Amino acid sequence: MKSLLKPFLLVVLLTFSLASLAQELQVQDPYVRAVPPGSPVSAAFMELHNQGSEQRTLVAASSPVSEVVELHTHTKVDGVMQMRRVESIEVPAEGKTLLEPGGLHLMLINLKETLTPGSQVEITLTLDDGSQIELSVPVRKTQMQPMSNHQ
Ligand SMILES: [Cu+2]
């Protein structure tokens, strides 16, 4: 029953800022990884869907729960997966970009509070045209994976 999905999508859409261009970029299924108390970092994942005819580029993100939010990717260095900061995350015209474990993600660095499963984290995405997308992202318990090293 596909109508089940609609209320959820509507909630996500309503959290968008008013910039009309930003509405062409839809965020689906966002979540933040729950981490044990005292853990300094966590990561956020989501699907970015671009319905517009031009590429959209994510250049920054921020959240009240951490001092810094960086855009990260994973790359293999000498056979070892490492996380690395990237300047931007592109979403192709009429395409999508996945932020997922083992790939692109938003890194929440120096957490100011414990991320409890079921709570919501506010995250603001900033695009290269200056428009912003405000998200309320659920904290989800995920299978713990060993954290990769940062360079
Ligand atoms: Cu990272």
Side-chain angles (χ1 to χ4, degrees), residues 21-22 56-57 59 126-132:
L21 274 175
R56 309 306 309 280
T57 305
V59 294
T126 304
L127 305 181
D128 61 344
D129 63 1
S131 63
Q132 293 192 319

PDB file of all heavy atoms in Angstrom, residues 21-22 56-57 59 126-132:
ATOM      1  N   LEU A  21      14.158  26.622  -4.812  1.00  0.00           N
ATOM      2  CA  LEU A  21      15.118  25.717  -5.433  1.00  0.00           C
ATOM      3  C   LEU A  21      15.400  24.520  -4.542  1.00  0.00           C
ATOM      4  O   LEU A  21      15.542  23.402  -5.012  1.00  0.00           O
ATOM      5  CB  LEU A  21      16.428  26.449  -5.720  1.00  0.00           C
ATOM      6  CG  LEU A  21      16.472  27.207  -7.053  1.00  0.00           C
ATOM      7  CD1 LEU A  21      17.763  27.984  -7.153  1.00  0.00           C
ATOM      8  CD2 LEU A  21      16.355  26.232  -8.212  1.00  0.00           C
ATOM      9  N   ALA A  22      15.466  24.782  -3.253  1.00  0.00           N
ATOM     10  CA  ALA A  22      15.794  23.708  -2.325  1.00  0.00           C
ATOM     11  C   ALA A  22      14.740  22.612  -2.348  1.00  0.00           C
ATOM     12  O   ALA A  22      15.014  21.469  -2.041  1.00  0.00           O
ATOM     13  CB  ALA A  22      15.949  24.262  -0.917  1.00  0.00           C
ATOM     14  N   ARG A  56      22.646  19.798  -7.932  1.00  0.00           N
ATOM     15  CA  ARG A  56      22.645  20.502  -6.652  1.00  0.00           C
ATOM     16  C   ARG A  56      23.859  20.037  -5.872  1.00  0.00           C
ATOM     17  O   ARG A  56      24.235  18.860  -5.948  1.00  0.00           O
ATOM     18  CB  ARG A  56      21.371  20.217  -5.861  1.00  0.00           C
ATOM     19  CG  ARG A  56      20.087  20.428  -6.648  1.00  0.00           C
ATOM     20  CD  ARG A  56      19.962  21.791  -7.283  1.00  0.00           C
ATOM     21  NE  ARG A  56      20.183  22.896  -6.364  1.00  0.00           N
ATOM     22  CZ  ARG A  56      19.281  23.362  -5.505  1.00  0.00           C
ATOM     23  NH1 ARG A  56      18.101  22.834  -5.461  1.00  0.00           N
ATOM     24  NH2 ARG A  56      19.573  24.370  -4.715  1.00  0.00           N
ATOM     25  N   THR A  57      24.440  20.964  -5.139  1.00  0.00           N
ATOM     26  CA  THR A  57      25.676  20.634  -4.438  1.00  0.00           C
ATOM     27  C   THR A  57      25.582  21.019  -2.969  1.00  0.00           C
ATOM     28  O   THR A  57      25.331  22.172  -2.624  1.00  0.00           O
ATOM     29  CB  THR A  57      26.862  21.372  -5.087  1.00  0.00           C
ATOM     30  OG1 THR A  57      26.890  21.043  -6.481  1.00  0.00           O
ATOM     31  CG2 THR A  57      28.168  20.938  -4.448  1.00  0.00           C
ATOM     32  N   VAL A  59      27.300  21.805   0.409  1.00  0.00           N
ATOM     33  CA  VAL A  59      28.637  22.304   0.742  1.00  0.00           C
ATOM     34  C   VAL A  59      28.909  22.365   2.242  1.00  0.00           C
ATOM     35  O   VAL A  59      30.061  22.524   2.653  1.00  0.00           O
ATOM     36  CB  VAL A  59      28.898  23.700   0.128  1.00  0.00           C
ATOM     37  CG1 VAL A  59      28.938  23.613  -1.397  1.00  0.00           C
ATOM     38  CG2 VAL A  59      27.851  24.706   0.581  1.00  0.00           C
ATOM     39  N   THR A 126      23.420  23.034   3.929  1.00  0.00           N
ATOM     40  CA  THR A 126      23.606  24.254   3.143  1.00  0.00           C
ATOM     41  C   THR A 126      24.085  23.887   1.745  1.00  0.00           C
ATOM     42  O   THR A 126      25.037  23.117   1.578  1.00  0.00           O
ATOM     43  CB  THR A 126      24.636  25.188   3.806  1.00  0.00           C
ATOM     44  OG1 THR A 126      24.194  25.465   5.142  1.00  0.00           O
ATOM     45  CG2 THR A 126      24.762  26.498   3.034  1.00  0.00           C
ATOM     46  N   LEU A 127      23.400  24.443   0.748  1.00  0.00           N
ATOM     47  CA  LEU A 127      23.758  24.171  -0.641  1.00  0.00           C
ATOM     48  C   LEU A 127      24.638  25.290  -1.185  1.00  0.00           C
ATOM     49  O   LEU A 127      24.762  26.349  -0.565  1.00  0.00           O
ATOM     50  CB  LEU A 127      22.492  24.032  -1.492  1.00  0.00           C
ATOM     51  CG  LEU A 127      21.494  22.984  -0.982  1.00  0.00           C
ATOM     52  CD1 LEU A 127      20.294  22.897  -1.910  1.00  0.00           C
ATOM     53  CD2 LEU A 127      22.156  21.625  -0.848  1.00  0.00           C
ATOM     54  N   ASP A 128      25.238  25.040  -2.347  1.00  0.00           N
ATOM     55  CA  ASP A 128      26.196  26.009  -2.889  1.00  0.00           C
ATOM     56  C   ASP A 128      25.534  27.308  -3.322  1.00  0.00           C
ATOM     57  O   ASP A 128      26.205  28.318  -3.501  1.00  0.00           O
ATOM     58  CB  ASP A 128      27.007  25.401  -4.047  1.00  0.00           C
ATOM     59  CG  ASP A 128      26.124  24.977  -5.210  1.00  0.00           C
ATOM     60  OD1 ASP A 128      24.900  24.868  -5.028  1.00  0.00           O
ATOM     61  OD2 ASP A 128      26.674  24.753  -6.297  1.00  0.00           O
ATOM     62  N   ASP A 129      24.206  27.309  -3.495  1.00  0.00           N
ATOM     63  CA  ASP A 129      23.529  28.567  -3.836  1.00  0.00           C
ATOM     64  C   ASP A 129      23.099  29.326  -2.583  1.00  0.00           C
ATOM     65  O   ASP A 129      22.404  30.338  -2.670  1.00  0.00           O
ATOM     66  CB  ASP A 129      22.325  28.302  -4.751  1.00  0.00           C
ATOM     67  CG  ASP A 129      21.269  27.449  -4.064  1.00  0.00           C
ATOM     68  OD1 ASP A 129      21.450  27.087  -2.884  1.00  0.00           O
ATOM     69  OD2 ASP A 129      20.255  27.139  -4.716  1.00  0.00           O
ATOM     70  N   GLY A 130      23.494  28.823  -1.428  1.00  0.00           N
ATOM     71  CA  GLY A 130      23.187  29.505  -0.180  1.00  0.00           C
ATOM     72  C   GLY A 130      21.879  29.064   0.452  1.00  0.00           C
ATOM     73  O   GLY A 130      21.585  29.416   1.591  1.00  0.00           O
ATOM     74  N   SER A 131      21.069  28.289  -0.261  1.00  0.00           N
ATOM     75  CA  SER A 131      19.811  27.828   0.316  1.00  0.00           C
ATOM     76  C   SER A 131      20.081  26.750   1.354  1.00  0.00           C
ATOM     77  O   SER A 131      21.126  26.083   1.331  1.00  0.00           O
ATOM     78  CB  SER A 131      18.876  27.296  -0.781  1.00  0.00           C
ATOM     79  OG  SER A 131      19.448  26.178  -1.417  1.00  0.00           O
ATOM     80  N   GLN A 132      19.147  26.618   2.279  1.00  0.00           N
ATOM     81  CA  GLN A 132      19.326  25.665   3.367  1.00  0.00           C
ATOM     82  C   GLN A 132      18.133  24.742   3.477  1.00  0.00           C
ATOM     83  O   GLN A 132      17.009  25.111   3.163  1.00  0.00           O
ATOM     84  CB  GLN A 132      19.526  26.409   4.688  1.00  0.00           C
ATOM     85  CG  GLN A 132      20.835  27.187   4.705  1.00  0.00           C
ATOM     86  CD  GLN A 132      21.179  27.693   6.090  1.00  0.00           C
ATOM     87  OE1 GLN A 132      20.309  28.155   6.809  1.00  0.00           O
ATOM     88  NE2 GLN A 132      22.441  27.595   6.459  1.00  0.00           N
TER      89      GLN A 132
END
